[in-house]
Amino acid sequence: MSTVAIKLRPLEPLHLGVRNLGGIEGFSIDEVVHTPFPSTVLGAVGSLLGIKIDCKCGSEKYDLCDLRELINQLTDTELSLDTRTSEPVLWGPLIEVDDGRYIPIGNRFLREEHAREYVKAATRYYRGEDVKDLGRLLISYADVWSKVGIELNEEAKTVNRTFKARYVSYKHNLNLTYLLRAGRKPNNGVVRLGGEGRLAMLSVGDEKIDPSRKGNYAIALQPILIHSDKTTADINEVAGLECAEEVYGVFDGERFRVRVIDIGLGFSEVCKFRRPILKALPQGTVVKLREDCGDVVAIGLLSALGYGSIYRVDYRG
């Protein structure tokens, strides 16, 4: 098993939807994220490697059969359902531009060397301090724009509904960089990434990227998938947060807020339906890790795939 850095360079605006189109009757509104989820990236890698998946899909009792088979063929191992891992199949992303490497937080990014300042600001906020000055360290790197489309009923020659689809355009000539742990190394090539078959160039990097495995705090690079049967729950009662001692939330421009969002696991090309929607703490969320979690670099449900990838920060303030 080898670990390589793969770089995705978008060749056009991407459609990275997070759930089924929804909205008022007759008009649906799209929601998107700014960097691809692990299931999207791993699907692109599998396609480039020519992996063929044959499994019996059931939308009512979906058992992750397509993702299980993909991981089995990529790594020759079974997909672990543990809520923590030190060896995810995919870790990331970090964003690379000409002047350095950045941590994505929504549509803005933060220089790697400022990660400690971001964590420090989170702890300062909960001591009652003003942290608006943190905004100067966050740089906008992506824009979301919309276009209106229509869904036609081909038999009746009528319009079923109209919808507003959203797309992500990047302001910089950038690479979305991930670490891939697999038995086979992909070749460089153009892949379909996200919805509508949008294109990106995938290349294998030569440089060494070693995620920090030390540090008592972490910034989420991917949504941390969670589950709870209760509308409000103690952190110890939430599946997926077994490694989290405290959750500080994500910076919204003025303050840190603990947010829970809906995240779809993407459209399955194999099963021909959208995978389930789960709850998650969004990208950019700061968490304090439990000491007994060792050298983990991804936490939460489906962390073995790379959901809940974390950038660890050693901060003792």
Side-chain angles (χ1 to χ4, degrees):
M1 193 82 66
S2 62
T3 301
V4 296
I6 60 170
K7 300 183 179 185
L8 290 165
R9 182 182 294 269
L11 300 178
E12 58 184 327
L14 300 181
H15 181 227
L16 303 172
V18 299
R19 59 177 175 82
N20 291 331
L21 289 171
I24 61 174
E25 184 177 356
F27 190 85
S28 298
I29 301 173
D30 200 8
E31 288 188 15
V32 297
V33 289
H34 303 87
T35 56
F37 293 146
S39 52
T40 301
V41 177
L42 291 172
V45 170
S47 177
L48 195 60
L49 288 172
I51 290 176
K52 303 296 183 183
I53 297 175
D54 182 20
C55 71
K56 294 181 180 179
C57 304
S59 58
E60 293 184 2
K61 294 184 178 180
Y62 176 63
D63 64 356
L64 305 173
C65 71
D66 53 336
L67 295 176
R68 289 176 186 271
E69 179 63 23
L70 175 60
I71 295 308
N72 183 263
Q73 293 198 44
L74 279 174
T75 67
D76 199 29
T77 62
E78 297 297 323
L79 174 62
S80 169
L81 297 182
D82 288 346
T83 57
R84 69 184 78 175
T85 182
S86 58
E87 292 187 330
V89 178
L90 196 76
W91 180 88
L94 296 175
I95 297 178
E96 293 184 349
V97 294
D98 292 337
D99 63 346
R101 194 177 289 153
Y102 294 79
I103 296 168
I105 300 171
N107 69 334
R108 297 181 291 177
F109 57 31
L110 176 79
R111 278 187 176 274
E112 266 194 297
E113 53 265 38
H114 293 150
R116 194 171 181 274
E117 288 298 312
Y118 187 80
V119 168
K120 181 180 178 181
T123 62
R124 285 174 47 217
Y125 175 76
Y126 284 97
R127 292 198 299 264
E129 299 182 30
D130 189 325
V131 296
K132 292 179 183 177
D133 60 331
L134 180 64
R136 62 186 171 80
L137 300 180
L138 296 170
I139 304 166
S140 175
Y141 77 94
D143 287 324
V144 174
W145 52 276
S146 305
K147 71 176 182 181
V148 175
I150 59 174
E151 181 184 278
L152 298 176
N153 184 321
E154 294 184 4
E155 294 183 1
K157 307 299 183 184
T158 59
V159 174
N160 282 344
R161 62 172 179 165
T162 57
F163 61 89
K164 181 180 288 186
R166 291 179 175 171
Y167 302 86
V168 180
S169 296
Y170 299 100
K171 297 180 179 180
H172 305 271
N173 193 18
L174 54 78
N175 286 313
L176 305 166
T177 301
Y178 299 79
L179 289 185
L180 172 70
R181 186 177 62 89
R184 286 193 283 163
K185 177 181 175 181
N187 294 320
N188 297 345
V190 175
V191 296
R192 293 187 299 125
L193 192 66
E196 301 184 5
R198 299 274 165 155
L199 300 178
M201 172 62 73
L202 186 150
S203 58
V204 178
D206 297 325
E207 73 274 26
K208 178 72 172 176
I209 300 176
D210 189 16
S212 172
R213 297 176 183 274
K214 298 180 180 179
N216 51 336
Y217 288 85
I219 304 170
L221 300 175
Q222 289 280 359
I224 301 171
L225 301 181
I226 61 175
H227 174 74
S228 175
D229 293 326
K230 303 176 181 178
T231 53
T232 60
D234 183 270
I235 191 172
N236 297 315
E237 299 174 346
V238 179
L241 293 182
E242 289 83 356
C243 267
E245 183 177 319
E246 296 181 49
V247 178
Y248 289 83
V250 61
F251 185 64
D252 66 2
E254 296 186 356
R255 59 195 179 104
F256 280 84
R257 287 198 308 150
V258 177
R259 296 177 56 216
V260 177
I261 60 175
D262 291 327
I263 290 293
L265 299 181
F267 181 83
S268 172
E269 294 284 355
V270 174
C271 299
K272 303 303 180 187
F273 58 71
R274 283 195 173 274
R275 301 186 187 98
I277 294 175
L278 299 178
K279 299 294 184 182
L281 302 179
Q283 184 184 71
T285 295
V286 175
V287 297
K288 185 176 183 180
L289 300 172
R290 300 175 68 94
E291 291 185 2
D292 60 358
C293 281
D295 61 353
V296 298
V297 294
I299 62 174
L301 306 178
L302 298 179
S303 56
L305 289 175
Y307 286 96
S309 291
I310 53 175
Y311 188 98
R312 295 186 66 160
V313 179
D314 192 13
Y315 174 66
R316 304 288 174 179

